[in-house]
Each structure stands twice: as structure tokens, then as C-alpha cells.
Amino acid sequence: MEVLIIEDEKPSARRLKRMLEKLGVTVNHTLHSVEESIEWFSNNPQPELIFLDIQLSDGLSFEIFDAVSITSSIIFTTAYDEYALQAFKLNSIDYLLKPIDEDDLAKAVEKYKTFKPEQQNVQLNFDDIKKMLVNPVERQYKKRFTTKIGQHLKMISVDDIECFYSENKGTYAHTTEGRDYLLDTTLEQLENELAPETFFRVNRTFFININAINDIISYTNSRLQLKLNSYSEQDIIVARERVKDFKIWLE
């Protein structure tokens, strides 16, 4: 099948291409901007499947659809892990949250392969998705968590949590007092429970509170290392695929 990647970060595009090739999927073309994509679609037949990043270097990828009519199947690759996903679900669009997990990618590809074209009756409303990106739905995020200590339940204010991390199949909250508490949740569940302006998932293991960052250090392979006010048990490295979004989040 004809597969196209539209991704402005070239290292991310190369990584996604390698991951797809491991699944036996050949990527025929890779594009990196809205302008380049419009020109390409104007002069080439459309592919069967597009892996499409939302935020490109010269604008939102939806601008491509304003210029050309796209009939290809689309799997979004996105760092929007909050309100925007509601729009994707409402429009029955498949998506992969960055940094892309190999198992999630495999499931998305398998879903596409088993999808029957004659069953495709969904009309993708990109205007609705753009509105969700610009005007997010107001929502309430968790203000506190509870953890069991012996026969007692302890309440922990989210403001007192420096970071959440996973270890040995458990999810922990590290507080400003330097203590760690086991929680009955997963990092995936936390995606929709933490205020995105305060907490950021820097890699597959850590959610970081912006108020707990003490220092940011350049690290190998264009990554960043974070030093928190009290947490020091493990090195906290911002995944290379998340560095750009992390820098935007800091602002």
C-alpha cells in the first residue's frame, strides 16, 4: 500500500518510518511542512494511508485540507493529549499519542489493514477539530489523590506533588516533602486527570510538575535532563520526540 508521513521533525519522521518498516509497512514518501504537502498533493496521486502530525513548522496540518481535497485514510500523530482527542474520537479518527509506542502503532496499522473500505461512512469534520484546538472544552482536573497507608487513607494535594512516575508496574507520586506514595492508577489514566498547563509527560515513565523544575540541562542526542527540587532517585530525561513540545509547554 502507498503510505505517506507528514511530520516536521525529521528525527521523529525517521523513527516512525523505521517502526513502520519493522511492521512490514513501506513508507513511500515523507513530507515536512504544510507548503510542501500542498505542492506534493497537487502533483501526485493520493496515498492509501497518511500518518499526519497536527502541528507542523509552518502551521496546523489542517491547512492542507483547506487547499486540497484529501480522500486518504488518516492516522494522526499528535502531542495533543487532552481536549483535542475528544474531537478525534467524535470524528472516528485514529490517532497515536507522541512519543509513539510500538504496540500502539502496531494496533493502529492492524486496525487499518482490517478496516473494510465499503464500511467507511464517516465524514471527517476538520473544522470541528480546529475549533477544539483553539477553544478547548472547559474541564475539571483532579485536585487531590488518595493513597492507603496501613489502615488509613491519606489525601495528597496535587499542588504538593513534584512528579508522578512508574516503577515495577506501580505508579507513584513524589511530594515536595520528599516522600513517595503508591497510587491506584496508571500514567495513562493520569493523561486525562492532570491539568496540562501544570503537568507534562516527559517520557514513558514520568509526569513532571512545572513548579518542581529546578534545572534543565542539555543531554545527549538532543535530549534534556531535568533536575527537580527534591526528587533524585532516577535521572529524568525528556524523550527526544517530546523536547519540542516540552519547550513550548515551558512558555
Side-chain angles (χ1 to χ4, degrees):
M1 60 183 175
E2 291 284 328
V3 176
L4 170 69
I5 291 175
I6 303 178
E7 163 67 67
D8 66 327
E9 294 184 346
K10 293 183 179 181
S12 295
R14 290 194 293 268
R15 178 175 180 268
L16 177 55
K17 182 178 180 180
R18 289 195 299 269
M19 293 170 68
L20 286 167
E21 288 174 346
K22 285 177 62 177
L23 296 172
V25 176
T26 299
V27 176
N28 304 94
H29 303 282
T30 302
L31 306 174
H32 304 290
S33 68
V34 172
E35 182 180 1
E36 182 184 13
S37 299
I38 292 173
E39 180 180 357
W40 189 89
F41 278 110
S42 300
N43 295 283
N44 293 276
Q46 297 199 17
E48 296 175 58
L49 178 61
I50 302 172
F51 285 87
L52 179 64
D53 187 16
I54 292 179
Q55 184 68 56
L56 300 175
S57 57
D58 56 347
L60 290 175
S61 58
F62 302 122
E63 295 174 30
I64 300 170
F65 303 97
D66 293 333
V68 294
S69 177
I70 303 295
T71 58
S72 308
S73 297
I74 298 171
I75 296 177
F76 283 106
T77 60
T78 175
Y80 288 102
D81 54 359
E82 302 296 336
Y83 53 85
L85 297 192
Q86 299 176 31
F88 300 157
K89 293 173 183 176
L90 288 172
N91 288 274
S92 297
I93 302 174
D94 211 344
Y95 65 89
L96 294 168
L97 183 63
K98 292 182 177 180
I100 296 173
D101 179 79
E102 290 186 355
D103 291 337
D104 292 339
L105 178 62
K107 290 176 184 176
V109 170
E110 187 60 29
K111 179 179 178 181
Y112 169 75
K113 287 182 177 180
T114 57
F115 191 70
K116 303 295 183 183
E118 61 269 21
Q119 295 176 351
Q120 186 171 2
N121 298 315
V122 178
Q123 296 297 317
L124 307 184
N125 193 328
F126 296 107
D127 286 334
D128 281 352
I129 299 177
K130 284 190 287 186
K131 289 176 184 176
M132 293 285 276
L133 292 172
V134 177
N135 300 305
V137 176
E138 291 294 328
R139 59 179 301 175
Q140 296 295 316
Y141 296 99
K142 293 199 72 165
K143 298 288 193 298
R144 65 190 63 85
F145 289 83
T146 59
T147 183
K148 188 175 181 181
I149 303 176
Q151 299 300 314
H152 303 273
L153 286 179
K154 178 180 176 60
M155 291 186 295
I156 308 170
S157 170
V158 72
D159 295 330
D160 295 330
I161 298 175
E162 282 197 353
C163 65
F164 296 88
Y165 64 94
S166 62
E167 185 176 82
N168 297 325
K169 299 184 179 180
T171 300
Y172 295 83
H174 180 87
T175 67
T176 54
E177 297 175 342
R179 298 193 61 181
D180 299 276
Y181 297 97
L182 178 64
L183 303 178
D184 185 20
T185 187
T186 65
L187 293 186
E188 285 66 34
Q189 290 173 315
L190 290 176
E191 295 274 6
N192 297 316
E193 297 177 343
L194 299 175
E197 68 272 13
T198 304
F199 286 91
F200 186 89
R201 189 170 185 176
V202 296
N203 54 41
R204 296 185 65 183
T205 305
F206 281 92
F207 266 105
I208 301 301
N209 187 330
I210 193 170
N211 300 306
I213 298 174
N214 182 268
D215 196 9
I216 303 173
I217 306 166
S218 294
Y219 201 67
T220 58
N221 295 324
S222 302
R223 296 176 295 171
L224 298 172
Q225 182 177 10
L226 305 182
K227 298 292 186 180
L228 303 188
N229 292 328
S230 69
Y231 182 89
S232 60
E233 282 77 8
Q234 301 180 54
D235 288 341
I236 302 176
I237 308 299
V238 182
R240 186 171 55 186
E241 297 81 10
R242 306 234 66 186
V243 168
K244 178 181 177 182
D245 298 316
F246 176 75
K247 290 179 178 178
I248 294 172
W249 175 70
L250 291 176
E251 299 173 357

